[in-house]
Amino acid sequence: KTNYPAVVVCAVVYWLLGGLWYGVLFAQRWMTLENITEGQAQGMNRVLPYVITFLLNVLIAYVLAQLCSWRNANTAGRGAAIGVLVWIGFVAPITYTTHMYELRPIELYALNEFYPLVGLCLMGAILGAWKKKPA
């Protein structure tokens, strides 16, 4: 029942969203809030984190596809709603609990955690809308 091409497309979309989110839209603000210098950013491994991130995105998309299937989320709206519910019920509470104990700025929490909210919503919409062709 799993629509594997949709899972891969979702992983790519989420991966590209991350690049846009952290590389273009909020790069400087994120680095400032995380106390990361340009030198530190330039010194990181240039390949491995991106490969691992993509593989983890495949896992996220696969699990979300299972949830969409179980809940019969067969429209973009229903799929997006599943993504939002996953964020509200799991991602936000878990990461906010950690955030509170780390005593970090709320702006950093918003910047880091609205990315998965948008990503899960997009992936859910893709999974819901993409009709798998019968075999």
Side-chain angles (χ1 to χ4, degrees), residues 6-19:
V7 167
V8 172
V9 167
C10 286
V12 170
V13 166
Y14 196 43
W15 192 75
L16 292 173
L17 176 65

Side-chain angles (χ1 to χ4, degrees), residues 43 64 108:
L64 189 58
L108 182 59

Side-chain angles (χ1 to χ4, degrees), residues 29-51:
R29 189 66 191 139
W30 178 76
M31 287 175 55
T32 299
L33 290 166
E34 287 284 7
N35 296 313
I36 296 173
T37 66
E38 287 286 337
Q40 290 171 314
Q42 295 299 323
M44 72 175 273
N45 184 312
R46 298 303 235 173
V47 176
L48 189 59
Y50 298 104
V51 171

